[in-house]
Amino acid sequence: MAHNLTIAAPARPQVPLQHQRALLARYLKPQRGKVALLGALLFANIGLQLARPLIVRTFIDVALAQGPLDSLFNAGLLFLAVALVNQGVAVAETYVAEDVGWTATNAMRADLVFHCLHLDMGFHNTRTPGELIERIDGDVTALANFFSRFVLLVAGNAVLLAGVLVMLAREDWRVGAVMTVVALGALWVLARSRNIGVAATTEERQASAKLFGFLEERLAGLDDLRANGGGAHTMRRYYEYMRDFFHKWRHAWMLRAIIILIAVVLFVAIFILVLSLGAALYQAGAVSLGTVYLFSAYVGMLQRPLNQITEQMQDLQKASASMLRVEELYHIERQIQDGPGDGLPRGALAVEFADVTFGYGDETPIIDGVSFRLASGEVLGLLGRTGSGKTTLTRLLLRLYDPAAGIVRLGGRDVRDLPVEALRRAIGVVTQDVQLFRATVRDNLTLFDATIPDDRIVAVLRDLGLGGWLDSLPDGLDTELEAGGRSLSAGEAQLLAFTRVFLRDPGLVILDEASSRLDRATEQLIERAVDKLLAGRTGIIIAHRLGTVERADRILILDGGQAAEQGERARLAHDPGSRFHHLLRTGLEEVLA
């Protein structure tokens, strides 16, 4: 594949200056004390740098004039002392700057994670976890220098530059005037070049996000890839993503490197100009040799502000690209907003769907005009083939999505009128795939809610038949589980999921094929847990197995997103013309699989 390695800058998206200031203020204001200390260290460092050439100039002039040795000795000691203090200040400055940068970026990462966790499922369905990780960590890392050093370094180097020009003018007004004009011209050129690589760097960050997203997806499906011989295809796609990232990285780097080239050329030109002026003034007897050294030393000091301003311009391009992506993420608003009402009462909650229609995006509706009512304390057996809309129906109850038409009610209230957190707290969900974290048993059961006492957790575990398992743990509730529950059997993981629901005590329980992959003995234990869980609560059971729906009071059969049949379970079971009666005769597993 041929790639045109042009360095022509594409269109330049830019972050408005007020947005940059707002971002700085938001994350640096809580650290105003550290920022003030960093500023003091930075300016102290500049003052010490300006003092060192003056000491050397004195040493040279005294030595050439064959002055007293004591003066030379004192000048040498003073230079060493200033140099040591200068190094100490520089180390302290670096430490404080890193502390400020990491504190600010960690706060931003936390804000972005919180923001993403509260975005709608529609947002997460269109983005891979790898892409979001790169956005939250990679882009924010690129902003670390912007928070810790950018403003202070630019301001500090501006002060250093001004100090150098003042010191040069103090020694000779002609040199000072020429250097002022040249320095201002150099700064103008650098300022004009500052955004040359922003658009290319944005593309580089996007390519990196795509690469991380691809890796995350393939690593998650590694077993299936190996089993089905997908390794070669995966590697080919990996090379394609890597190639795309490499070329975009190289293009962005070359554009950013233009600023380095400009800075080098400017510095060489300035150095030649000042040495020529110094030599001419020395030959004319207007300045001493020590003063000529002073000119060259101060011009040499100009290299640092020019180099650092150049580096900051490069970092600003990276930061601007990352800032664009962070701002874009921040400006994505969730469509599922809290309702104006308060929470739901405790106890069993009635469920009602009134002519509800819903589809994912522009797809054909998954739920099409479904209506049913479930009284508080009743249990609904929800049946249907794969893809008929059973799980989608429960997602609408949880307000992971809002219906395109119709009303979903819980406890007699439109779910859109309820606070989202209160709504989801009133619903407990158990699925066949239990998500467990690398954390203690306690944290996995309470989902990191420290307000739930240990004695309540232990009581629920023993009530569900997990007392022996708890007693076998080396550290009890403090025992750490592996991510994904690899150290647990399927039955144990399922019972832990039931424990979570018991600890929350919701008014509605949704069991989404919660016992479909268990052996018969474990399933009996789960069935007892289900009976206890449904006591005094409203329940919705999604199942493919006959035994699971025997406890249901009502049956709803979905077909193609529509309510094909619904009614009392006992009546439908004895009605030869009903679909449910047919399923009982032919076998639920075979017909609905």
Side-chain angles (χ1 to χ4, degrees):
M1 182 184 295
H3 289 269
N4 182 17
L5 196 58
T6 176
I7 58 173
R12 302 173 185 172
Q14 298 183 30
V15 179
L17 187 59
Q18 62 268 27
H19 286 196
Q20 297 180 14
R21 287 199 301 263
L23 202 63
L24 277 170
R26 178 176 181 180
Y27 291 102
L28 293 185
K29 190 174 181 180
Q31 303 184 77
R32 58 176 69 90
K34 291 181 182 177
V35 174
L37 175 60
L38 181 58
L41 291 170
L42 186 62
F43 289 114
N45 194 5
I46 291 170
L48 292 168
Q49 289 180 68
L50 290 172
R52 287 162 61 182
L54 291 172
I55 300 170
V56 176
R57 192 269 298 272
T58 300
F59 186 93
I60 292 174
D61 287 345
V62 170
L64 289 174
Q66 296 183 345
L69 289 177
D70 286 346
S71 297
L72 294 175
F73 183 74
N74 290 335
L77 283 179
L78 181 60
F79 180 84
L80 289 175
V82 170
L84 286 173
V85 173
N86 199 176
Q87 288 299 313
V89 170
V91 170
E93 176 199 330
T94 301
Y95 176 84
V96 175
E98 290 299 316
D99 185 27
V100 169
W102 275 103
T103 302
T105 51
N106 282 341
M108 177 177 277
R109 288 186 185 94
D111 287 347
L112 285 173
V113 169
F114 182 83
H115 179 69
C116 288
L117 286 176
H118 286 76
L119 289 176
D120 304 324
M121 290 303 298
F123 165 83
H124 290 284
N125 289 340
T126 59
R127 290 162 177 83
T128 64
E131 179 184 350
L132 291 180
I133 290 171
E134 178 64 5
R135 283 259 184 139
I136 293 169
D137 186 60
D139 285 326
V140 173
T141 298
L143 288 170
N145 187 65
F146 177 75
F147 283 116
S148 62
R149 287 174 166 263
F150 178 77
V151 173
L152 288 175
L153 274 179
V154 170
N157 283 312
V159 172
L160 177 59
L161 181 60
V164 168
L165 294 176
V166 169
M167 297 301 289
L168 287 173
R170 178 175 172 268
E171 297 299 326
D172 189 282
W173 69 269
R174 291 159 293 190
V175 175
V178 170
M179 286 302 302
T180 299
V181 172
V182 172
L184 291 175
L187 290 175
W188 180 83
V189 171
L190 291 174
R192 294 285 295 176
S193 309
R194 76 182 191 278
N195 287 317
I196 195 170
V198 172
T201 303
T202 301
E203 293 180 1
E204 173 197 348
R205 301 303 307 161
Q206 290 171 343
S208 176
K210 289 179 181 178
L211 174 63
F212 274 85
F214 172 81
L215 286 174
E216 182 273 331
E217 283 185 328
R218 296 315 184 271
L219 289 174
L222 193 58
D223 290 344
D224 288 338
L225 285 173
R226 286 176 171 173
N228 295 283
H233 171 73
T234 298
M235 289 306 300
R236 183 168 63 254
R237 293 288 292 154
Y238 174 70
Y239 289 136
E240 289 174 0
Y241 278 103
M242 281 291 291
R243 185 188 305 116
D244 180 59
F245 173 63
F246 168 72
H247 285 290
K248 287 180 178 175
W249 168 83
R250 183 173 62 179
H251 184 208
W253 182 88
M254 291 186 70
L255 288 173
R256 294 194 298 263
I258 290 175
I259 298 181
I260 298 177
L261 180 61
I262 291 172
V264 170
V265 171
L266 288 172
F267 176 73
V268 171
I270 292 171
F271 200 79
I272 293 173
L273 177 61
V274 169
L275 282 182
S276 300
L277 284 172
L281 291 171
Y282 177 70
Q283 288 177 347
V287 296
S288 67
L289 185 61
T291 302
V292 173
Y293 162 78
L294 193 67
F295 290 161
S296 64
Y298 278 141
V299 171
M301 289 177 66
L302 283 178
Q303 184 178 14
R304 179 182 175 188
L306 285 176
N307 284 344
Q308 286 197 341
I309 289 174
T310 300
E311 291 173 4
Q312 295 309 308
M313 290 300 110
Q314 281 196 304
D315 284 340
L316 181 59
Q317 292 180 70
K318 294 180 183 178
S320 295
S322 295
M323 207 180 302
L324 283 168
R325 288 160 53 80
V326 168
E327 287 269 319
E328 176 189 316
L329 190 54
Y330 266 134
H331 284 104
I332 297 174
E333 297 182 359
R334 61 175 183 169
Q335 301 301 311
I336 307 294
Q337 298 292 337
D338 285 333
D342 52 7
L344 289 160
R346 300 187 69 83
L349 299 167
V351 176
E352 182 181 0
F353 275 57
D355 199 22
V356 172
T357 298
F358 171 78
Y360 296 101
D362 297 328
E363 298 178 8
T364 302
I366 304 297
I367 299 291
D368 189 5
V370 171
S371 296
F372 71 90
R373 191 178 188 285
L374 187 63
S376 59
E378 287 187 330
V379 176
L380 176 71
L382 185 57
L383 310 177
R385 297 179 184 274
T386 301
S388 61
K390 303 186 300 296
T391 301
T392 299
L393 186 146
T394 63
R395 289 173 177 170
L396 294 177
L397 262 172
L398 288 160
R399 277 202 84 195
L400 298 178
Y401 303 91
D402 276 338
I407 300 175
V408 178
R409 293 187 177 91
L410 183 63
R413 298 169 60 184
D414 189 330
V415 294
R416 289 170 292 194
D417 292 335
L418 297 168
V420 174
E421 194 65 30
L423 169 68
R424 293 173 184 170
R425 198 165 49 242
I427 303 174
V429 181
V430 180
T431 67
Q432 58 181 316
D433 297 314
V434 182
Q435 181 64 56
L436 295 172
F437 306 96
R438 182 180 291 278
T440 64
V441 172
R442 178 189 298 102
D443 288 338
N444 269 286
L445 292 177
T446 64
L447 292 180
F448 309 94
D449 182 357
T451 63
I452 300 177
D454 285 358
D455 55 356
R456 185 180 171 202
I457 300 173
V458 172
V460 172
L461 286 172
R462 295 195 184 283
D463 192 36
L464 292 179
L466 286 174
W469 173 79
L470 177 63
D471 294 336
S472 69
L473 297 177
D475 298 314
L477 293 177
D478 292 316
T479 303
E480 186 168 290
L481 300 179
E482 295 183 27
R486 289 190 296 270
S487 58
L488 302 175
S489 69
E492 289 169 341
Q494 204 76 69
L495 286 169
L496 290 184
F498 277 93
T499 305
R500 285 176 178 172
V501 177
F502 268 107
L503 292 173
R504 291 177 58 188
D505 192 22
L508 171 65
V509 175
I510 299 173
L511 305 179
D512 192 348
E513 303 181 27
S515 60
S516 62
R517 298 188 305 174
L518 305 177
D519 58 75
R520 184 61 62 181
T522 306
E523 186 178 349
Q524 290 176 354
L525 190 61
I526 294 290
E527 289 297 314
R528 288 198 295 271
V530 170
D531 288 334
K532 293 179 180 179
L533 186 59
L534 292 176
R537 298 181 177 91
T538 307
I540 296 178
I541 301 175
I542 302 174
H544 281 168
R545 306 175 73 165
L546 283 171
T548 313
V549 295
E550 286 180 355
R551 60 172 53 82
D553 300 299
R554 299 182 63 81
I555 296 294
L556 171 63
I557 300 176
L558 294 178
D559 188 2
Q562 297 181 330
E565 183 173 273
Q566 61 175 303
E568 296 179 2
R569 182 185 63 83
R571 179 179 63 79
L572 293 177
H574 293 90
D575 181 359
S578 74
R579 289 195 180 202
F580 184 61
H581 181 85
H582 176 67
L583 292 175
L584 294 176
R585 291 186 58 194
T586 55
L588 191 64
E589 295 90 337
E590 289 75 13
V591 175
L592 294 182

